[in-house]
Amino acid sequence: MFKRKKIRLQNYHYGQAGCYFLTICTHDRKEILGDVFVDVDSIKIKLSAIGEIAEKSLLDIPNYYAMVKVEGYVIMPNHIHLLLMIENHTQDPSLLSKIINQWKGAVSKMVGFSVWQKSFHDHVVRDIADYERLQEYMANNPAQWHLDSLHPANFQNEP
């Protein structure tokens, strides 16, 4: 039987105060969240109706988790990058997964079908330089879409 690879840091408390950079992909990496387009001199994202629901729900996370702040995000056609700050240490070592799974479920329920790939990628932000690099990465992500590893032209579908 296929055994899923563990992608979280072993023995890490994902409920402790800190900043986390997350990448959340759509199911089968379908481009359903929006489109990249050129607007005068810049490249921007035009969100689809599903992308707008995802964004509104994302911005609602602090309303459900008072100790959590959305520090930044970018919604791409088939994935979202998100900087999430947990401001106070909690007793729940799986808080981050609970927040994201609840958000993903809410979006899928509003849309009427399963929008998301299972799980998500996380990176624990280590310091201010790492934080600033990730903010810049998100700001530049639309302009780099053609080079992105999640762009359909740049990945092979897994069997």
Side-chain angles (χ1 to χ4, degrees), residues 6-14 122-124 126:
K6 293 185 188 239
I7 58 174
R8 302 285 158 259
L9 290 175
Q10 295 303 303
N11 303 316
Y12 187 81
H13 192 296
Y14 282 95
D122 69 82
H123 167 79
V124 178
R126 290 165 179 79

Side-chain angles (χ1 to χ4, degrees), residues 47-58:
L47 296 180
S48 66
I50 296 170
E52 289 176 359
I53 290 168
E55 180 179 48
K56 181 184 180 315
S57 297
L58 188 67

Side-chain angles (χ1 to χ4, degrees), residues 3 8 13 37 54-56 58 65 100 104 140-141 153:
K3 192 168 185 175
R8 302 285 158 259
H13 192 296
F37 71 98
E55 180 179 48
K56 181 184 180 315
L58 188 67
Y65 296 93
I100 298 306
K104 287 165 59 173
N140 294 328
N141 206 226

Side-chain angles (χ1 to χ4, degrees), residues 27 33 38 42 53 63 71-72 79-81 84 90 96 100 107-109 113 133 140 151 156:
H27 182 70
L33 300 176
V38 178
S42 64
I53 290 168
N63 295 329
E71 292 282 305
H79 66 282
I80 294 176
H81 293 300
L84 207 61
T90 69
L96 187 63
I100 298 306
V107 171
S108 291
K109 185 175 181 179
F113 63 89
R133 178 186 62 80
N140 294 328
H151 188 286
Q156 299 291 326

Side-chain angles (χ1 to χ4, degrees), residues 124-136:
V124 178
V125 179
R126 290 165 179 79
D127 55 31
I128 192 68
D130 195 21
Y131 178 88
E132 290 171 350
R133 178 186 62 80
L134 292 165
Q135 286 282 19
E136 184 176 337

Side-chain angles (χ1 to χ4, degrees), residues 1 30 33 67 74 88 94 97 99 151:
M1 180 167 222
K30 290 182 181 160
L33 300 176
M67 78 297 272
V74 62
N88 302 317
S94 61
S97 289
I99 292 168
H151 188 286

Side-chain angles (χ1 to χ4, degrees), residues 8 14 19-25 58 61 68-70 72-74 79-86 95-97 99-101 103-104 119-125 134 137-138 150:
R8 302 285 158 259
Y14 282 95
C19 193
Y20 303 89
F21 179 71
L22 311 171
T23 300
I24 306 157
C25 295
L58 188 67
I61 289 173
V68 175
K69 281 178 55 180
V70 175
Y73 66 93
V74 62
H79 66 282
I80 294 176
H81 293 300
L82 167 66
L83 270 172
L84 207 61
M85 176 76 73
I86 298 177
L95 178 65
L96 187 63
S97 289
I99 292 168
I100 298 306
N101 289 333
W103 169 76
K104 287 165 59 173
S119 201
F120 57 92
H121 173 77
D122 69 82
H123 167 79
V124 178
V125 179
L134 292 165
Y137 174 81
M138 288 188 298
L150 295 172

